[in-house]
Amino acid sequence: MHNKANLYREIFLKSKKQIDKKLVFLNNKEKRLFLETTLKDEILKSENEIKAAFDKAKCNNCGTCCNLAISEFPPEALKNKVQNGDISSKSFLETFELYENNTAPNNLLQNNLCAGFIQNSSEKLYFYHCKKVQMKDGKSFCPVYEKRPMVCRNFPDTPLEILPKTCAYNKWKEENETKALFIKALNDIRKFYIENLPE
């Protein structure tokens, strides 16, 4: 079984080879047109397919994403992103706060999430929880669910998210993760070529 980094590398190299085959016969103007229009349209089509599949899945209100949001960014870095106009970071900080001493409850880390990912991560991870979530009849309850912020409405915003085992979107993630890695590879390659293409 591939780990995600190896699978991404394999997909990246395969995608680059296919793009290079198309570009080799084009002049610079045609290359730019292909990269900025044709390839972009192909990427958008794939993104729309993933979104359509996401819209068919339904949240089962397990509450884990409310009680444990994982980020590679500490609050200070997120605040800096907000100052630079990052709307996603603003929404995240308005909704979530860091667990005291960055220590999430053990039952969440062990039972509901990919504990292996957390233990094997080469990056320092930060554990947040929703400021508004409450307990009702022994379950997590969102008092603003119908008016919940975009960061909550859009979760998970990509099949590359770390999802708790209890999350109803795991099937969607499994079915679309490889496609999302292709999209990431195509976007990375496209951006590099556009930036380095002579005028």
Side-chain angles (χ1 to χ4, degrees), residues 17-148:
K17 190 174 182 179
Q18 290 173 343
I19 290 171
D20 287 346
K21 274 185 182 178
K22 291 181 181 179
L23 293 179
V24 73
F25 298 108
L26 304 177
N27 63 40
N28 285 344
K29 186 178 179 181
E30 292 167 332
K31 285 177 184 176
R32 186 169 295 280
L33 183 65
F34 171 78
L35 294 166
E36 291 182 347
T37 307
T38 308
L39 187 55
K40 183 179 178 184
D41 288 346
E42 287 177 24
I43 291 167
L44 285 173
K45 182 181 175 189
S46 292
E47 286 175 343
N48 287 336
E49 288 170 358
I50 290 175
K51 170 106 174 55
F54 175 83
D55 291 341
K56 291 177 185 172
K58 297 292 177 211
C59 174
N60 63 6
N61 298 322
C62 73
T64 307
C65 59
C66 307
N67 291 299
L68 186 58
I70 301 174
S71 176
E72 66 270 28
F73 299 110
E76 300 75 31
L78 290 170
K79 286 174 187 170
N80 287 337
K81 288 167 140 315
V82 171
Q83 289 177 346
N84 291 322
D86 188 320
I87 296 168
S88 296
S89 295
K90 183 176 187 291
S91 181
F92 187 89
L93 282 177
E94 287 171 351
T95 307
F96 296 97
E97 63 187 358
L98 192 71
Y99 272 104
E100 191 174 338
N101 299 321
N102 194 33
T103 306
N106 230 12
N107 64 318
L108 289 173
L109 292 173
Q110 297 304 320
N111 298 334
N112 292 322
L113 277 162
C114 304
F117 171 83
I118 294 168
Q119 291 163 354
N120 296 326
S121 177
S122 58
E123 297 179 33
K124 179 167 174 57
L125 298 174
Y126 296 87
F127 305 110
Y128 295 82
H129 63 94
C130 176
K131 300 173 188 179
K132 293 180 179 158
V133 71
Q134 301 170 6
M135 292 302 287
K136 184 177 180 180
D137 300 326
K139 293 183 179 180
S140 294
F141 168 73
C142 176
V144 295
Y145 187 78
E146 294 305 320
K147 295 181 180 177
R148 65 197 183 281

Side-chain angles (χ1 to χ4, degrees), residues 173-185:
K173 173 186 170 73
E174 289 166 13
E175 291 172 351
N176 291 281
E177 193 167 25
T178 300
K179 187 182 282 188
L181 288 171
F182 267 106
I183 289 170
K184 178 173 171 30

Side-chain angles (χ1 to χ4, degrees), residues 140-177:
S140 294
F141 168 73
C142 176
V144 295
Y145 187 78
E146 294 305 320
K147 295 181 180 177
R148 65 197 183 281
M150 290 309 292
V151 70
C152 301
R153 288 182 188 278
N154 293 338
F155 180 84
D157 64 351
T158 170
L160 304 179
E161 289 272 9
I162 308 160
L163 297 182
K165 293 175 186 174
T166 53
C167 183
Y169 289 99
N170 272 308
K171 186 171 189 286
W172 168 79
K173 173 186 170 73
E174 289 166 13
E175 291 172 351
N176 291 281
E177 193 167 25

